[in-house]
Amino acid sequence: MSDEISPAGKSSDRATSPDLRASHADRDRVVEVLRVAAGDGRLTSDELDERLETALSARTLSELTALTTDLPPVAASGGAVVAEVKDVLRIERRFSPVKRVGRWVVPRRLELATEFSEVTLDFTEAVITQDTLQIDMDMQGKNLILITKPGIVVDTDALNLAFSKIKIRHAPDPDMPITLRVELVGKKSFGRVVVRHPRKRAARRLLGKPARRPAD
């Protein structure tokens, strides 16, 4: 059975005193619970912003617990949710693809330095602990594919393009609270930037719907 992230931000099978001082990891885990709740429609955008501000300044575990007492715990399959979040992740690659899928931990900043390497970043099941991800790009050739879900928006205004195109296949839902803003900066040459939702089969699995069977 997988552990769960409890309201105090710890695994549910570990007892801790609520008067203990909170660590950065404790705050990050509670932020993840809040973001999942907002993505599920349990918190409004204003509620999310208010609770995130309180979580990031919380000093004790009891302060963190108060933020999630009305929310369900978040399953942590294989301990991915409690993994350390890197401040900066740099990926350098030539002539071979890059993929981040499943419950990978999104860093606070990502640097892409690639040559003719297709890069796929799938955020649909990723562990996200902050509201903004800046991707610094120095990417030549091939495509950058960002697979998103409702609540994730991609900002490409600061990206310098050379013989490249941007294709965003789904417009953001104005009624959906923003849980992650992905900001693309730097340079993309010779290729495309594609922002899309998961394929139909993956999308139905993400929403907890059974796959459709082919007609007889």
Side-chain angles (χ1 to χ4, degrees):
M1 180 181 296
S2 62
D3 288 344
E4 292 179 332
I5 302 304
S6 69
K10 295 288 188 179
S11 296
S12 58
D13 60 348
R14 297 169 65 183
T16 57
S17 169
D19 295 326
L20 287 178
R21 288 279 180 158
S23 67
H24 291 310
D26 294 326
R27 297 184 190 95
D28 287 344
R29 285 189 282 264
V30 170
V31 165
E32 168 66 7
V33 175
L34 296 175
R35 294 198 189 289
V36 171
D40 291 341
R42 300 180 191 275
L43 295 176
T44 66
S45 180
D46 289 341
E47 288 173 329
L48 176 61
D49 290 342
E50 181 180 351
R51 295 195 191 195
L52 286 177
E53 182 177 355
T54 303
L56 293 174
S57 61
R59 295 183 178 181
T60 66
L61 292 182
S62 60
E63 292 177 76
L64 292 175
T65 300
L67 298 174
T68 57
T69 53
D70 58 346
L71 301 175
V74 177
S77 176
V81 169
V82 298
E84 290 298 323
V85 179
K86 293 184 178 180
D87 288 330
V88 180
L89 174 61
R90 182 173 177 83
I91 298 176
E92 299 183 27
R93 195 69 59 89
R94 298 183 64 192
F95 307 111
S96 58
V98 175
K99 285 189 177 183
R100 293 293 185 272
V101 298
R103 294 191 64 81
W104 66 287
V105 181
V106 177
R108 294 183 174 88
R109 185 161 63 89
L110 177 61
E111 297 178 354
L112 287 178
T114 64
E115 294 182 38
F116 298 97
S117 299
E118 183 161 284
V119 178
T120 301
L121 303 177
D122 188 341
F123 293 96
T124 55
E125 298 181 20
V127 178
I128 302 169
T129 63
Q130 70 278 347
D131 59 4
T132 303
L133 168 64
Q134 180 175 299
I135 301 180
D136 295 326
M137 298 174 56
D138 182 6
M139 188 172 176
Q140 179 179 353
K142 296 292 185 177
N143 300 329
L144 170 64
I145 302 173
L146 303 178
I147 304 175
T148 64
K149 61 182 178 181
I152 297 179
V153 298
V154 179
D155 183 351
T156 62
D157 291 345
L159 183 62
N160 183 17
L161 298 177
F163 305 103
S164 298
K165 294 182 179 181
I166 296 174
K167 187 170 185 179
I168 299 179
R169 296 182 178 176
H170 295 275
D173 183 349
D175 297 326
M176 174 67 66
I178 296 176
T179 57
L180 177 66
R181 180 180 298 276
V182 181
E183 299 176 350
L184 302 183
V185 301
K187 184 177 180 179
K188 175 71 180 81
S189 56
F190 301 102
R192 294 190 301 167
V193 175
V194 179
V195 181
R196 65 172 177 83
H197 284 182
R199 305 298 185 191
K200 288 184 178 180
R201 183 182 298 271
R204 292 183 67 85
R205 184 176 68 251
L206 183 66
L207 295 172
K209 297 179 179 180
R212 292 181 177 176
R213 295 182 178 179
D216 293 335

